[in-house]
Structure formats: C-alpha cells, structure tokens
Amino acid sequence: MSDKRIVYQGEDGIARIVVPTKEYKGTMEDLLKKVVPEDCLDSADIVEADTIPNDRTFRNAWTTSKGKSAEIDLSKAKEEAKIKVRQARTPKFAELDVAYQRADEDSDADTKKAIADKKKVARDATKDTKITDADSIDKLKEGMEAVIKEMGDL
C-alpha cells in the first residue's frame, strides 16, 4: 500500500498529498473518503507514489485535478520564486541600510549612490527575466537560485 498516495486540490488551490501510515490496514478508497474534505472530493484520486514531484522547492505551486497526480503550475511557481527572492533579499536590505546610514553620517555621496544603486537592483530582483521568462520548472529554479546568488553578491 505504500506505493499509493491520495491527491486532492485543497480549498486554497494547493494540491494535498495523503500518505498512509504503515499501520493503516484499510483500503485506499476508504482512506480517501475518511480524509478528503467533502468539498474537495471532485478532485481527489489515488495515484502511484512515484508520480508525485520529488522536488519541493515550489511545493505551494502544486496542483491536481481528477485523474491526475500532483503537478507544478509554472505561473504559481513563478510567484513562489518571487516570494523566495523577497525572503532572501531582506537581510541584504538591512545590511545596505546600515551602510547607507554610515555613508550619510560621513557625507559620502559616492558611497550613498553606489548603495542606492545596489538597493534598486535588489528591489528589481523579482522582475528579473531569469524568473519571469522561465519556460520550465527547471529553468525557473535555476534562474531563482542565480538571482538569489546575485543579490548575495551585491
């Protein structure tokens, strides 16, 4: 039974995956009826475990529908990538804010301009074409990681 999973579309639009415990002795059909909310039954299905994505980078972008396993929705994954970029840039903003304040205290206009330019790059990171123009999940993940690295190098 461990080679099967129950998938259904949650009310929030994210695919839910149910993995039966080793101790579970009932049928997958009974488990489906027991755990899937009634208003989600129309999307619920029993699928092979190896059809579920292994990479959880864009877990909140997983979707499903009746007759399908969990799939990664590219447009939702792009939004998730932007969230991850925003999270990654938060400490960089704090670092640049401190550097800007010090440059301001020293009346160093050149340093202030250089820092302001870096902050603009960080602000615009979610608009980077490596994310917005990605045409596959693999390219999106690669692009997101590159953007996060570029921000770390600011």
Side-chain angles (χ1 to χ4, degrees), residues 118-138:
K118 289 179 181 183
K119 288 174 77 170
K120 181 175 180 355
V121 169
R123 268 192 310 276
D124 292 344
T126 57
K127 300 175 191 170
D128 193 298
T129 56
K130 288 188 242 13
I131 294 172
T132 60
D133 292 351
D135 59 2
S136 72
I137 295 300
D138 289 337

Side-chain angles (χ1 to χ4, degrees), residues 7 9 12 29-30 35 55 65 101 108 111 134 139 141 146:
V7 295
Q9 192 76 5
D12 58 0
E29 291 77 10
D30 289 340
V35 300
D55 188 340
S65 59
Q101 289 171 344
D108 187 344
T111 300
K139 287 181 183 177
K141 183 177 178 183

Side-chain angles (χ1 to χ4, degrees), residues 61-123:
W62 289 11
T63 61
T64 190
S65 59
K66 190 73 170 176
K68 292 186 176 183
S69 185
E71 300 173 334
I72 304 171
D73 180 290
L74 183 59
S75 62
K76 286 183 176 185
K78 286 180 182 183
E79 292 306 312
E80 287 299 309
K82 291 175 186 179
I83 290 169
K84 291 177 187 297
V85 167
R86 287 182 191 108
Q87 291 169 340
R89 74 181 175 194
T90 299
K92 181 53 77 172
F93 276 134
E95 176 187 320
L96 292 172
D97 285 345
V98 169
Y100 189 90
Q101 289 171 344
R102 288 187 178 139
D104 192 39
E105 290 169 357
D106 294 339
S107 299
D108 187 344
D110 292 337
T111 300
K112 285 172 53 176
K113 171 141 180 32
I115 293 168
D117 291 344
K118 289 179 181 183
K119 288 174 77 170
K120 181 175 180 355
V121 169
R123 268 192 310 276

